[in-house]
Amino acid sequence: MLALPWLFEFWAMPHQLPPEGAWRSWVCMGGRGAGKTRAGAEWVRAQVEGAGPRDPGRAQRIALIGETHDQVREVMIFGDSGILACSPPDRRPKWEATRRRLVWPNGAVAQCFSAHEPEALRGPQFDAAWADELGKWKKADEVWDMLQFALRLGDQPQCVVTTTPRAQATLKGLLKNPSTVLTQAPTQANRAWLADSFLTEIETRYGGTRLGRQELEGVLLDDTEGTLFPQALLDGCRIDKAPAVDRVVVALDPAVTGHAGSDLCGIVVVGAVTQGPVADWRAYVLEDASIRASSPTDWANAAIEAMQRHGAEKLVAEVNQGGDLVASVLQQVDPLIPYRGVHATRGKSARAEPVAALYEQGRVKHLRGLGPLEEQMAQMTAQGFRGTGSPDRLDALVWALHELMLEPAAKWRRPRVRSL
C-alpha cells in the first residue's frame, strides 16, 4: 500500500503511457495541462529505476532537453510534475547544479541541455532521452539531428517527446517517421487535476478557435502550402465584439440530400458596415451555424433561425445543385423569406481569391469561436481545396462576402453614363 502512490501505471491515463512495440521515438502530444510533463518524468523513472533502489535499470545515460536550461530545471526536474516530484524517496536522484545533471542512487545520470545549444550534444552519448516542448524550439532541426547521433547506447535507445502541437517542420517530420509512435489528449482529459476556473476561462475564450484546437485539444494544425488564408492572417482578424452593422446576411451552401452521409450544410452569418467610401467598408463574421442535416427542412430551419437571431435582411443560397428545390424548401418554412439564389459560374478558388484580398486588407474580422470555419479557410489554395470533403462553411462565407462587400463595391465603382 505504501508503494501505491508511486505506481504510475495504476494512476496514469492512456495517453501518458508509452505504446507497445519497438519504437524509436514516442511523441506524447496534448493540450495545455493534459499531463504531458508527468508522462515524460514517469517514463524517465521507468527507464532508470531497477528492482531495488541501487539496481540498474534499462537506461544509465539520459539526455534531458528543454527550450532553455531554466525550463529543464524548473519544469522537467523541479516542477510539480517533474522528475523529483515523481520519484519515491529511496530512489530520488540528486541534483548537481554546477554540472547540470541528476544522479540516481543506482548510478544512472541525466544530463541537461538547452535547445539553443545544439553543439552541446556533440560528444555525449545516451541510451534514453526526454525532449520537452520540441514544437517551440528555435533550432529544432539542429538539436534533433545532434540528439539522434547521440542516442547510440544500449540495445534499443529511445526518446520521449512531450509537446503541445505546433506547425513546425521538425515535429511534422518526426510524426511521419515510421519509427515514431504518437499518443494525444486534450486539456480536458486531465481536468481532475486542473482548476475549474482555469477550464471555464480558457474554454470561454478559446473554445472553437484554431488556437483552441491547438492549445486545448492538442491537434496539430498547419497552413496548407499556397493557402489563400494563412494562419497569421486568421489569427490577426479575431475580435471579441462586433460593432453595430448596417447590413446582415445569412449565406447558405445547402446539402440537397438529407441523410447521415450527406455533406455538411454551410450556414454563415456576416454583417457589414458600408458607410462612406468603399475602402472604409468592413465586414464581421458573426456566426457559423453550419449543420449536418438529416433532411432539407433541417437546414432550411437552421438558416431561417440564424436570420432571426441576427436580424438578417436576406438569405443568399447557392443553387447549383438544388436549383428551384432550394427556394421551394425555404418557402415551405417561411413563405415571405427575403431570398436570393446565386449560381456559381467559377471554381471555388476563383470565388475565394477576392475574398482573401479583403482579409489581406484587414477589412474582415471574425468573432471568436469560428475554429472549424477557419480550418477550412486555411486549406483553400489557388489550385483548389486541399482538405477532405467539400468546404461548405467556406463556400457560405464567400457568398456572404460577395453579397455584402464585393458586388456592391463593383456597382459603386462602375462609371455612370450620362445621357445626351
Side-chain angles (χ1 to χ4, degrees):
M1 291 295 291
L2 292 176
L4 189 59
W6 312 106
L7 298 178
F8 185 61
E9 288 190 359
F10 181 82
W11 300 104
M13 292 175 286
H15 72 277
Q16 293 179 303
L17 296 174
E20 297 180 358
W23 47 267
R24 168 82 170 182
S25 302
W26 165 35
V27 178
C28 179
M29 190 163 67
R32 300 285 187 94
K36 304 182 296 296
T37 302
R38 181 69 184 270
E42 293 285 0
W43 182 81
V44 170
R45 269 194 63 203
Q47 304 311 298
V48 168
E49 293 178 4
R54 298 188 177 277
D55 295 330
R58 194 190 72 82
Q60 287 289 301
R61 296 292 179 268
I62 305 93
L64 303 177
I65 311 171
E67 185 179 17
T68 65
H69 283 298
D70 285 348
Q71 293 205 354
V72 175
R73 183 181 65 248
E74 301 302 325
V75 177
M76 301 171 71
I77 296 174
F78 286 95
D80 291 341
S81 298
I83 293 171
L84 294 180
C86 296
S87 300
D90 62 337
R91 297 164 186 253
R92 188 167 295 150
K94 292 184 178 180
W95 170 240
E96 296 183 354
T98 57
R99 302 185 68 178
R100 289 177 175 161
R101 70 177 197 171
L102 284 172
V103 180
W104 275 264
N106 64 4
V109 175
Q111 291 179 253
C112 302
F113 297 90
S114 164
H116 290 288
E117 301 170 358
E119 290 299 309
L121 285 161
R122 189 183 292 274
Q125 53 185 356
F126 309 99
D127 45 16
W130 174 18
D132 188 49
E133 293 297 354
L134 182 146
K136 297 195 317 184
W137 296 358
K138 303 300 183 187
K139 300 181 179 180
D141 267 350
E142 300 163 75
V143 177
W144 188 253
D145 288 344
M146 289 298 100
L147 176 60
Q148 300 317 297
F149 287 118
L151 276 172
R152 56 180 185 260
L153 295 180
D155 296 331
Q156 188 185 346
Q158 294 178 311
C159 176
V160 61
V161 176
T162 52
T163 188
T164 305
R166 290 283 185 91
Q168 179 225 58
T170 307
L171 180 57
K172 291 190 293 182
L174 174 60
L175 291 172
K176 292 178 182 177
N177 195 314
S179 64
T180 299
V181 294
L182 171 68
T183 60
Q184 286 180 277
T187 298
Q188 284 282 352
N190 202 31
R191 61 186 175 274
W193 301 98
L194 302 172
D196 289 341
S197 59
F198 164 75
L199 292 171
T200 301
E201 178 67 22
I202 59 173
E203 285 293 343
T204 299
R205 186 168 181 81
Y206 302 108
T209 68
R210 277 181 62 84
L211 183 61
R213 292 272 288 157
Q214 174 179 283
E215 301 293 329
L216 302 182
E217 297 179 37
V219 177
L220 182 63
L221 304 176
D222 192 14
D223 278 349
T224 300
E225 185 176 354
T227 179
L228 297 176
F229 303 94
Q231 182 60 51
L233 192 66
L234 296 173
D235 288 341
C237 78
R238 296 194 196 99
I239 57 174
D240 293 315
K241 184 179 180 181
V245 295
D246 305 317
R247 302 180 60 202
V248 178
V249 301
V250 173
L252 169 67
D253 181 34
V256 178
T257 58
H259 52 75
S262 297
D263 287 336
L264 193 77
C265 175
I267 304 172
V268 173
V269 185
V270 182
V273 176
T274 54
Q275 299 296 319
V278 171
D280 293 338
W281 294 5
R282 296 292 183 270
Y284 301 89
V285 185
L286 305 175
E287 184 184 356
D288 175 7
S290 303
I291 64 168
R292 195 171 302 281
S294 59
S295 71
T297 304
D298 287 345
W299 53 250
N301 279 314
I304 291 170
E305 288 168 5
M307 291 184 69
Q308 295 168 346
R309 282 195 299 275
H310 295 275
E313 66 182 56
K314 185 185 296 184
L315 177 64
V316 180
E318 182 178 321
V319 296
N320 281 49
Q321 301 298 323
D324 293 339
L325 172 65
V326 176
S328 175
V329 172
L330 290 168
Q331 289 165 357
Q332 286 175 19
V333 177
D334 183 352
L336 301 178
I337 183 173
Y339 161 79
R340 179 190 171 203
V342 290
H343 194 279
T345 58
R346 298 183 295 164
K348 295 179 187 295
S349 58
R351 295 198 305 274
E353 284 178 346
V355 169
L358 293 176
Y359 280 83
E360 291 170 2
Q361 295 162 3
R363 296 173 60 194
V364 185
K365 301 296 182 183
H366 285 195
L367 290 186
R368 298 184 186 279
L370 300 174
L373 169 62
E374 292 174 358
E375 286 182 41
Q376 285 194 353
M377 295 173 70
Q379 296 176 85
M380 176 57 76
T381 74
Q383 289 72 45
F385 184 59
R386 296 293 183 250
T388 57
S390 177
D392 312 277
R393 302 174 194 269
L394 174 58
D395 282 346
L397 171 71
V398 167
W399 285 121
L401 289 170
H402 271 273
E403 176 70 24
L404 285 172
M405 299 281 283
L406 295 170
E407 292 180 15
K411 293 176 183 177
W412 191 88
R413 292 192 182 101
R414 190 174 299 148
R416 296 175 181 173
V417 179
R418 295 177 61 187
S419 59
L420 299 177

